[in-house]
Amino acid sequence: MDFTYTEQTLPRAVAWLFESNGYSVTEDVSVQDVVFPLLAKQMAGLVEQKVFIEVTIDHVNMVKHEGLIAKLVLARRQVLGSQQVLVSSGGFTDEARDHARMEGILVYTFQELFRQFERTDPYIEHVLGDGDFAESLRDLDEVYEEPDFDDDRGVHRATEWLTHWVGDETEPSRWVVVVGEYGTGKTALTRVLQRRWMSDYREGRLTRLPFRVELRDFSRQFDARGLLHHFLDRNELAHLNISFVESMIANGRVMLILDGYDEMAQFLNVRERRACLEALTELSGDGVRGILTSRPNYFTEAEELQVFEVLYRNLDTRSQIGAAALDKEVLEQEQQVDRMLEQFVIQRAERQLRDLSPEQTIHLVKKRLGDDPAGEKAVTGILSRVFRPESTREYSLGGKPVIVSYLLDVVEELKRDEASGSGGKLTEWQIYELIINKLMLRDWARVKNLPPSDRLEFLRHLAVRLSSESRRSIREAAFRELIEERFPGHLAKQRATGTADAADALFDDLRSSSTLTRSREPGEYAWQFSHNSLREYLALTFLVSEHQSGRSLPRQIQLTDAMLTFSRSMPKDVLEGSLAQLAMGWPNRSYSKSLDRILTLLWPALLQNAPATEDKRDILARIVGPGLDISKSRLSQVDFSADARPSDLHRLSASETELSGVSFRAARIERSNFSDSIFEACNLSQAVADGASFKRALIMDCDITGLRCAEADFTALDRDSTAVVKTSRGAQIITGEHLIGYLRAQGAVTDDVNPYYVFATNSDFEVIEKICKVLADGAQHQRRGVQQRGAAERNVPLARKFLEYLFGCDYLIVKGGRSEMISATSSGRQACHRLAVEKKVDDTLGRFLEENLGRPRRSAN
């Protein structure tokens, strides 16, 4: 951040600092004909506090600046009870500081003055002091094994790269998105950075105060102020004025660390996620820097672009109000959106956090179990068996910090298991099953109140409860209610024997389960799973068990990428039993609304176990029958693409279907029926959809780049539909008539649409549009400049041909007998204005566009 000030900017910066903290500031105030640059006023109880402020960019010494101090002494004597402040961006000599203090005058550099208002010491103590939270961060930092970024930017130690980035004010990337699978240590990384950067801030090595916000706490849509209030309330900063905090962020005083975007996004629909992203852009002022962590595939380009499309559209709406006074403000706001788009999307850095290497994993185990050789052997023995099948190769899962952490938690149980270092490979499903079984046995050894199977069943229901209610934790009242619901017989028997506190005993036992950890909700304690992946695994096994038993499942559970990853490693006997139950029940799915959720869950396992050459049509037919009828279902994250194997899904019956995150990339879906369906964040790029029906469909943020849709029916397409099209010049969001025009240009049958939007899909249309914009002003122009410069440079022959056409239809004339000077006629000026400004094409220009850019395809009428 640049802290260099001029004689003009320093007074404004000081005034902003006081105003953002509740003062009213007046400039150039006179006291006995002596002018003070600033007077700040604020009510303090029943008395108005007045602060006279003198500012200078010079280095203050007694020889040159004694007069400044004399001025402030005059104000102190003339205005009783007032305070006097001297602010210098250049600093002070010791003599000047001492003299001012003797006179009762406060002296600050701008940074020192800023610190007076920040009042962040309670937060710093919260992170670095002696409390429970600070102790947990300190313990983590002591055993932290440094992970690596490994991506197109190279291999770098994650904490080192990020620390260099945050300290380099010349770095163009203002945001870093850290992506990584479940369990790679994204949260641990942000917690370690919070502690280390806070220490750097306290010692003056870092100018930005780290604000770490856990986005997973938000299972509902939020706005920017709601997010900040949440952070301030939980981090000993509730005393700060929210406007001042927003100013701190905008002026580069804060480093935002936003952890767990995916854990928030999984509970939100696309519109809610878009609103949350828009709230994040509100925090993206010119000086802001931020880190955002997420699992892959939750932070989508389509949603980002749509956010900025909305911001630009809001500016357009304001500019159309007709108030000329708004023009300058709208222009400034548009420039601000441009800067946010560049910082938040175009110039942001994305880094991939990888699992620990085998060497890093062994080092972590040794660091934790260096004095326990038997435990070290047991844990490394298990880790050597952990693998993930993917296509035809295997690679270790042992480097996932979350798995290592769990194994370290059950090291005593592993030491008692003689087979811990032997046997075959372990998949993700099996390693979590092993860990959970060990944790259940530990709880059983601690107190033999509940058999391990009963405890496990309760925890599965708890996982489903939290997933269904989009909550991270459960409070005591709800916890007790679930106990009463799950153990009525046990409690009745205990009460019958005179045990009055049976429910309390069961509550005390279950809340102490090794899989749970305590968290503090506002005003009371709550309990959550020690890692999100544990909740996801338990919820998944509950769903599979209930399905195999023929029971309906809760439809509101959001299926996450981790659950689908666990499903991919599902044991073969579990898969076959689930598949048989699904195929048997699918024809009657209208009576069992949860079967589509099971199809989503089983699909990764089916793809994993099928021969690589088998078409996805045949795999799908095993479940839904040869007619490929998936109508009136709801599918999420299903991969129907042809990327890894053939995918011929022609005549797919998918009417009235909700598809979220489904990929049809390069798939053949000709003559399929998607009428009345909803597509949310789906991938239709390069798909072949000739003759398919999308009648009355709603398309939300879907990639349709290269979609083949000749004679496909898109009539009555929902006008709120949005799509992404990628070209060599970048990605573009298209909606409304632009989308219908694009589909019409690809050969689809659509509702009637202004021909402008059809022609506009051709990259050469910009040449015509820019020429019309030039000619619409009615002025004289050099012919050579019009047909060879600006946008015309992209296709000079087309530009020359267009001008000749305009001459031929009397839309263009030579001015003043000089052949190189041209001007539009009255009718030509009107036609050019309609095309360039009103986005309408008259018949005369339409004929040229049809002949040279292609004829608009037919509509439904």
Side-chain angles (χ1 to χ4, degrees):
M1 182 179 177
D2 184 8
F3 295 117
T4 302
Y5 295 99
T6 66
E7 292 180 354
Q8 291 73 38
T9 60
L10 182 59
R12 289 200 294 268
V14 173
W16 158 79
L17 195 50
F18 277 87
E19 287 173 340
S20 61
N21 281 277
Y23 287 82
S24 62
V25 178
T26 306
E27 298 180 2
D28 299 329
V29 175
S30 296
V31 176
Q32 288 195 345
D33 298 327
V34 177
V35 178
F36 293 86
L38 302 170
L39 172 62
K41 299 179 182 179
Q42 184 183 56
M43 292 300 296
L46 298 177
V47 180
E48 183 179 59
Q49 180 186 19
K50 295 182 179 180
V51 182
F52 289 90
I53 308 166
E54 184 68 50
V55 297
T56 178
I57 62 173
D58 295 333
H59 183 72
V60 177
N61 59 61
M62 287 304 299
V63 175
K64 187 176 179 181
H65 298 93
E66 187 174 7
L68 292 178
I69 297 175
K71 281 176 61 177
L72 293 168
V73 170
L74 173 65
R76 180 167 60 84
R77 292 172 178 170
Q78 294 297 320
V79 184
L80 297 179
S82 63
Q83 179 66 64
Q84 293 72 41
V85 177
L86 174 58
V87 181
S88 168
S89 60
F92 302 85
T93 64
D94 292 341
E95 184 183 11
R97 282 185 183 273
D98 292 340
H99 179 69
R101 287 167 180 162
M102 288 176 60
E103 294 291 349
I105 296 168
L106 302 177
V107 293
Y108 300 107
T109 65
F110 184 79
Q111 300 310 307
E112 291 169 343
L113 181 64
F114 204 110
R115 286 288 181 96
Q116 292 297 311
F117 284 109
E118 279 184 330
R119 294 174 291 160
T120 55
D121 287 346
Y123 172 48
I124 296 173
E125 179 68 15
H126 178 60
V127 176
L128 299 177
D130 298 322
D132 292 343
F133 179 72
E135 184 179 353
S136 69
L137 292 183
R138 185 165 52 251
D139 291 344
L140 171 63
D141 202 3
E142 288 176 355
V143 299
Y144 189 63
E145 185 65 30
E146 303 283 350
D148 292 331
F149 288 141
D150 186 355
D151 47 42
D152 293 340
R153 290 173 174 257
V155 179
H156 304 96
R157 188 58 46 89
T159 53
E160 291 178 2
W161 189 91
L162 289 169
T163 299
H164 174 78
W165 167 79
V166 77
D168 182 3
E169 293 295 338
T170 64
E171 169 62 51
S173 298
R174 315 301 292 177
W175 281 88
V176 174
V177 177
V178 176
V179 296
E181 290 187 326
Y182 82 90
T184 51
K186 298 183 295 296
T187 293
L189 171 66
T190 62
R191 296 183 74 209
V192 166
L193 290 176
Q194 180 185 25
R195 183 175 190 275
R196 294 179 184 178
W197 289 354
M198 185 67 80
S199 179
D200 289 343
Y201 177 81
R202 186 176 62 180
E203 300 301 323
R205 295 187 297 270
L206 184 66
T207 60
R208 298 172 184 268
L209 179 68
F211 276 14
R212 180 177 174 274
V213 182
E214 295 193 349
L215 293 179
R216 61 180 60 82
D217 289 343
F218 297 88
S219 57
R220 296 290 184 270
Q221 180 179 322
F222 62 81
D223 57 22
R225 285 206 160 189
L227 183 146
L228 290 178
H229 276 300
H230 173 87
F231 170 79
L232 298 176
D233 290 343
R234 285 161 174 75
N235 288 276
E236 313 297 331
L237 290 175
H239 58 278
L240 290 184
N241 182 288
I242 191 69
S243 297
F244 176 60
V245 174
E246 291 173 328
S247 299
M248 288 174 62
I249 294 172
N251 285 273
R253 299 291 302 182
V254 168
M255 176 65 211
L256 291 174
I257 305 174
L258 308 178
D259 183 39
Y261 177 82
D262 57 293
E263 294 182 47
M264 174 200 73
Q266 64 181 309
F267 297 123
L268 306 177
N269 60 40
V270 66
R271 296 182 189 277
E272 292 170 330
R273 289 198 303 270
R274 190 182 300 160
C276 292
L277 277 176
E278 189 170 341
L280 296 181
T281 63
E282 291 180 30
L283 299 176
S284 301
D286 288 338
V288 76
R289 284 206 170 187
I291 295 174
L292 182 70
T293 73
S294 177
R295 294 178 185 176
N297 306 320
Y298 280 95
F299 200 64
T300 66
E301 180 180 49
E303 290 177 356
E304 295 167 358
L305 293 173
Q306 182 65 17
V307 167
F308 289 97
E309 191 78 14
V310 170
L311 294 178
Y312 282 122
R313 197 178 306 131
N314 289 343
L315 294 179
D316 290 342
T317 301
R318 290 194 63 188
S319 65
Q320 293 170 5
I321 295 175
L326 286 176
D327 288 349
K328 182 178 180 181
E329 180 183 353
V330 169
L331 178 60
E332 291 175 349
Q333 291 183 356
E334 183 173 327
Q335 291 172 342
Q336 182 182 10
V337 174
D338 288 340
R339 291 193 295 271
M340 288 194 300
L341 176 61
E342 185 172 357
Q343 294 169 8
F344 199 67
V345 178
I346 299 173
Q347 288 190 347
R348 79 147 191 257
E350 184 168 306
R351 299 307 312 261
Q352 181 82 37
L353 190 67
R354 299 298 183 181
D355 296 338
L356 299 178
S357 68
E359 295 77 16
Q360 290 172 319
T361 304
I362 293 173
H363 186 258
L364 175 59
V365 174
K366 285 182 177 293
K367 191 160 40 175
R368 294 284 298 274
L369 298 175
D371 56 351
D372 184 0
E376 181 183 335
K377 180 180 179 181
V379 171
T380 54
I382 288 291
L383 292 175
S384 67
R385 298 169 54 198
V386 181
F387 83 115
R388 170 189 291 165
E390 183 170 304
S391 301
T392 59
R393 62 191 180 97
E394 299 176 359
Y395 55 93
S396 174
L397 273 175
K400 283 195 178 298
V402 66
I403 291 179
V404 177
S405 176
Y406 283 144
L407 292 177
L408 291 171
D409 281 347
V410 296
V411 63
E412 294 302 323
E413 288 77 11
L414 294 177
K415 285 161 63 175
R416 291 193 294 268
D417 186 353
E418 295 181 359
S420 61
S422 60
K425 295 290 188 179
L426 293 172
T427 65
E428 265 160 312
W429 181 291
Q430 292 167 326
I431 190 64
Y432 269 80
E433 184 176 49
L434 169 69
I435 290 168
I436 288 173
N437 286 339
K438 297 299 183 187
L439 292 174
M440 295 302 102
L441 291 174
R442 172 193 288 185
D443 289 330
W444 175 249
R446 173 176 53 83
V447 53
K448 292 181 170 54
N449 194 14
L450 280 177
S453 58
D454 288 351
R455 183 183 301 274
L456 177 57
E457 194 63 17
F458 174 82
L459 291 170
R460 283 175 172 167
H461 279 86
L462 175 57
V464 169
R465 169 75 67 89
L466 294 176
S467 299
S468 300
E469 297 177 355
S470 303
R471 295 187 61 85
R472 180 187 178 190
S473 56
I474 185 169
R475 300 190 183 195
E476 180 173 338
F479 202 123
R480 289 180 177 275
E481 177 185 309
L482 185 59
I483 289 173
E484 294 281 353
E485 176 186 317
R486 299 309 311 164
F487 299 104
H490 175 87
L491 292 174
K493 184 184 297 184
Q494 292 291 312
R495 288 163 180 159
T497 61
T499 307
D501 60 349
D504 290 338
L506 208 50
F507 170 69
D508 290 338
D509 181 9
L510 287 168
R511 70 176 179 176
S512 302
S513 295
S514 300
T515 53
L516 302 179
T517 184
R518 191 174 67 178
S519 64
R520 178 175 285 280
E521 295 285 335
E524 63 178 294
Y525 284 112
W527 289 266
Q528 65 190 55
F529 285 96
S530 55
H531 192 273
N532 209 40
S533 61
L534 201 60
R535 172 185 62 80
E536 291 166 301
Y537 177 78
L538 289 170
L540 169 63
T541 56
F542 172 87
L543 295 177
V544 171
S545 175
E546 292 292 286
H547 166 66
Q548 291 192 350
S549 299
R551 291 187 284 269
S552 295
L553 309 178
R555 281 181 66 88
Q556 61 269 39
I557 292 182
Q558 179 66 36
L559 303 182
T560 67
D561 61 330
M563 295 171 73
L564 299 179
T565 299
F566 290 137
S567 170
R568 190 177 292 114
S569 61
M570 183 183 298
K572 191 172 182 180
D573 59 330
V574 177
L575 173 61
E576 291 177 348
S578 300
L579 180 59
Q581 184 75 19
L582 177 59
M584 182 175 62
W586 188 258
N588 300 313
R589 63 188 179 282
S590 60
Y591 302 103
S592 181
K593 297 293 187 181
S594 59
L595 289 179
D596 48 6
R597 315 293 280 165
I598 295 298
L599 190 154
T600 297
L601 278 176
L602 296 185
W603 189 253
L606 289 168
L607 296 183
Q608 187 65 49
N609 288 276
T613 56
E614 187 173 7
D615 196 293
K616 288 183 178 177
R617 181 185 193 90
D618 298 323
I619 300 173
L620 182 60
R622 291 185 213 162
I623 304 171
V624 303
L628 298 191
D629 184 3
I630 61 171
S631 61
K632 298 182 180 180
S633 62
R634 191 166 74 181
L635 302 182
S636 174
Q637 306 299 321
V638 176
D639 179 15
F640 287 136
S641 74
D643 289 345
R645 64 175 69 232
S647 184
D648 184 356
L649 301 175
H650 69 276
R651 295 188 181 277
L652 179 67
S653 179
S655 61
E656 300 180 59
T657 300
E658 295 180 35
L659 302 165
S660 175
V662 174
S663 177
F664 291 99
R665 175 177 163 75
R668 302 191 65 88
I669 50 176
E670 306 103 310
R671 313 196 76 79
S672 293
N673 183 7
F674 295 104
S675 59
D676 299 290
S677 290
I678 298 174
F679 294 79
E680 179 183 316
C682 294
N683 190 341
L684 292 162
S685 64
Q686 312 304 323
V688 182
D690 298 336
S693 174
F694 295 86
K695 196 168 186 176
R696 296 179 300 277
L698 170 63
I699 296 174
M700 300 172 62
D701 297 355
C702 295
D703 187 347
I704 61 171
T705 305
L707 173 67
R708 289 173 50 184
C709 52
E711 300 301 319
D713 185 355
F714 281 90
T715 57
L717 183 70
D718 193 296
R719 288 305 176 109
D720 286 334
S721 293
T722 59
V724 178
V725 176
K726 298 177 182 177
T727 67
S728 58
R729 294 192 291 171
Q732 177 186 9
I733 286 281
I734 54 175
T735 185
E737 290 187 294
H738 286 280
L739 176 55
I740 294 174
Y742 177 87
L743 293 169
R744 176 86 70 90
Q746 308 311 307
V749 179
T750 70
D751 295 335
D752 285 332
V753 65
N754 184 337
Y756 169 93
Y757 296 102
V758 184
F759 293 126
T761 62
N762 190 304
S763 59
D764 284 331
F765 179 74
E766 185 180 1
V767 174
I768 307 300
E769 187 175 35
K770 291 298 176 61
I771 291 176
C772 286
K773 188 173 184 178
V774 170
L775 298 177
D777 63 7
Q780 297 183 36
H781 299 277
Q782 284 191 338
R783 178 170 183 168
R784 180 174 295 180
V786 173
Q787 69 183 25
Q788 293 185 7
R789 298 174 187 165
E793 289 180 331
R794 295 178 51 198
N795 193 333
V796 173
L798 176 65
R800 184 182 297 115
K801 187 176 183 180
F802 182 51
L803 291 186
E804 293 294 340
Y805 180 82
L806 295 179
F807 275 115
C809 57
D810 295 328
Y811 276 5
L812 201 60
I813 58 174
V814 174
K815 296 294 292 186
R818 300 172 60 190
S819 60
E820 72 273 13
M821 300 302 294
I822 60 175
S823 176
T825 63
S826 175
S827 57
R829 189 164 58 251
Q830 293 176 13
C832 288
H833 182 273
R834 281 197 295 272
L835 185 146
V837 179
E838 300 176 15
K839 302 187 185 310
K840 296 179 181 178
V841 180
D842 72 357
D843 291 340
T844 302
L845 294 185
R847 284 193 293 274
F848 177 86
L849 295 172
E850 288 179 15
E851 293 171 2
N852 293 276
L853 300 185
R855 178 182 296 274
R857 306 302 180 104
R858 68 186 181 88
S859 68
N861 299 321

